[in-house]
Every structure is written in structure tokens, then in C-alpha cells.
Amino acid sequence: MEPTPSAEAHMREALALARANIPTGGRPFGAVLVREGQVIARAVNEINQTQDPTAHAELLAIRRASQHLGSARLDGCIIYASGHPCPMCLAAMHLCGIQAVYYAYSNEDGEPHGLSTARVYGQMALPPQSQSIPVRALRPSGEQGLYDAWRK
């Protein structure tokens, strides 16, 4: 999908949001979520303001768009992000059906400033048992039927 002139305008808005977030103590990340050419949600990174490590601009835009549209599915939506999405944000985009994502600054651009998530991408590429955070199955004896209960 090739960017259009309106796509560049949406990206400029994401960048303006990111720049405006800096003087308030925020990190330099902004996101604009668009469906059929219309802006559905805008957000900035709020980690420093909220002490919530998941308060990334892309995730907040997804949350706001889902609430606005009344749906956990965002099929056909496009996200314009000032920086390369981290694995958490990209996973959320896959899970909710985002059609495409465009970013202005790469992980390489962010690396000298401590703003790259390339290391996390490296961890995620490893099998779970080889990652730096142990990921192990643990089902207590006698535990069964949770997913069956949900299905009913």
C-alpha cells in the first residue's frame, strides 16, 4: 500500500503530537488512527505521565478507536506512528485487524537516544524457553475446563 498525500498529512499530525508531548514531560511518540480517510483516534505516549508502561501512543489510539467504534475489531484501519511500533503495539495491531502501519522514525533512528525496541524484537524472535524472561507452563493439578466454560 503506497502512501497518499493524505497519508503524509496524517503522519505530520502524528509527528506534531509527538513533538507537543515533549514539553509536558512525555516521550516523543504520537499516533493517529484512520479509517476510510477519517481520523478515528489520536494519542501520545503517556508512560511518564501515568507511570503505565503500556501507555504507548499506538495502544492508546487503538483503545480510543475501539471505544469510539464500539468494536474490538479495527479492520480497515491504518495507524500513523511517529516511531517504529514496539512488539507490544505491533501485536495489538495484529490482534485487532489493523490494515497497515506507517512510521516516521526507525529503531535505528531511536537507538542513540534510548528509544529503540530492537532488543525487545530480538527477544521475541527467540523461542519462549530461550527468552530472558522465563515463560513456562504451570497448570495446577485438577485445573480444567476454563476455555470450555468460556465457550459456553
Side-chain angles (χ1 to χ4, degrees):
M1 171 177 267
E2 285 300 311
T4 63
S6 64
E8 188 169 312
H10 296 311
M11 182 59 77
R12 287 189 187 283
E13 182 176 2
L15 290 163
L17 289 167
R19 282 191 191 337
N21 201 37
I22 296 170
T24 66
R27 296 169 59 100
F29 298 107
V32 175
L33 192 146
V34 176
R35 178 190 257 173
E36 297 175 0
Q38 299 299 311
V39 174
I40 304 299
R42 298 168 176 86
V44 295
N45 183 294
E46 296 180 4
I47 290 174
N48 292 346
Q49 296 93 326
T50 64
Q51 308 311 308
D52 176 355
T54 69
H56 291 203
E58 299 94 331
L59 279 185
L60 294 175
I62 287 169
R63 289 173 188 156
R64 290 173 186 158
S66 292
Q67 290 170 352
H68 175 77
L69 296 172
S71 174
R73 296 296 308 167
L74 298 176
D75 300 295
C77 291
I78 298 172
I79 291 184
Y80 298 89
S82 60
H84 190 284
C86 76
M88 174 181 65
C89 292
L90 189 58
M93 291 176 204
H94 280 285
L95 290 169
C96 71
I98 294 292
Q99 175 183 327
V101 59
Y102 294 98
Y103 63 90
Y105 287 87
S106 68
N107 272 323
E108 293 77 18
D109 294 326
E111 182 65 37
H113 309 283
L115 298 172
S116 173
T117 57
R119 182 184 58 75
V120 180
Y121 270 104
Q123 281 293 307
M124 299 306 290
L126 298 172
Q129 65 275 15
S130 299
Q131 294 178 17
S132 63
I133 298 174
V135 178
R136 309 287 185 266
L138 173 61
R139 186 182 303 181
S141 71
E143 172 56 39
Q144 62 185 18
L146 177 64
Y147 294 164
D148 290 333
W150 176 81
R151 192 170 206 176
K152 290 177 187 176

